[in-house]
Amino acid sequence: RVRVLTGNPHLAVERAERRFGFELVRLYDCGTLDTRRLAVEIRDPRVVAVYSQTLSYTDGISDDLEAILAIVEAENERRSGAGLPLVTLVNDSCLAFCVLVHNDGRGG
């Protein structure tokens, strides 16, 4: 079964896990994706994707996208050289939450 690595995912990701039959592996520390654990777990050949969040709607958490991208890129370089499938990074950016946070209610 293929695996998707994440921190504390949106409920829709949990629904997708049930619907499409992949294994969702939670690697979180204080609500965010734990990049130290990600760097280890991503080497599993069953890992096909990493799901991260920028300004989660439910709790405002932002994963360390720069660190996550560096880990995914390094793993994809390793896999490319070995002829293995690459890992896809899915970053959920909740723009609606961002608007709510930055809107002071004046001017509309």
Side-chain angles (χ1 to χ4, degrees):
R1 201 162 88 154
V2 297
R3 302 172 86 203
V4 175
L5 307 179
T6 188
N8 186 20
H10 187 283
L11 182 58
V13 178
E14 293 174 337
R15 285 186 79 188
E17 174 189 27
R18 291 189 301 273
R19 178 173 218 159
F20 300 113
F22 59 84
E23 179 184 1
L24 188 63
V25 181
R26 290 169 183 79
L27 310 170
Y28 59 90
D29 179 32
C30 297
T32 63
L33 182 53
D34 184 340
T35 54
R36 290 178 314 230
R37 291 176 61 202
L38 175 63
V40 173
E41 294 290 333
I42 200 169
R43 295 183 63 86
D44 182 332
R46 295 173 295 164
V47 172
V48 296
V50 173
Y51 175 87
S52 61
Q53 296 182 107
T54 306
L55 281 176
S56 161
Y57 179 75
T58 53
D59 53 22
I61 286 179
S62 288
D63 292 322
D64 185 348
L65 189 55
E66 187 174 345
I68 293 166
L69 183 59
I71 292 166
V72 171
E73 286 180 334
E75 176 61 12
N76 281 341
E77 285 182 21
R78 185 187 76 80
R79 287 182 181 208
S80 180
L84 298 171
L86 303 182
V87 176
T88 299
L89 174 61
V90 179
N91 184 63
D92 184 357
S93 177
C94 186
L95 298 178
F97 183 76
C98 186
V99 169
L100 289 172
V101 168
H102 295 289
N103 184 1
D104 63 7
R106 291 184 287 216

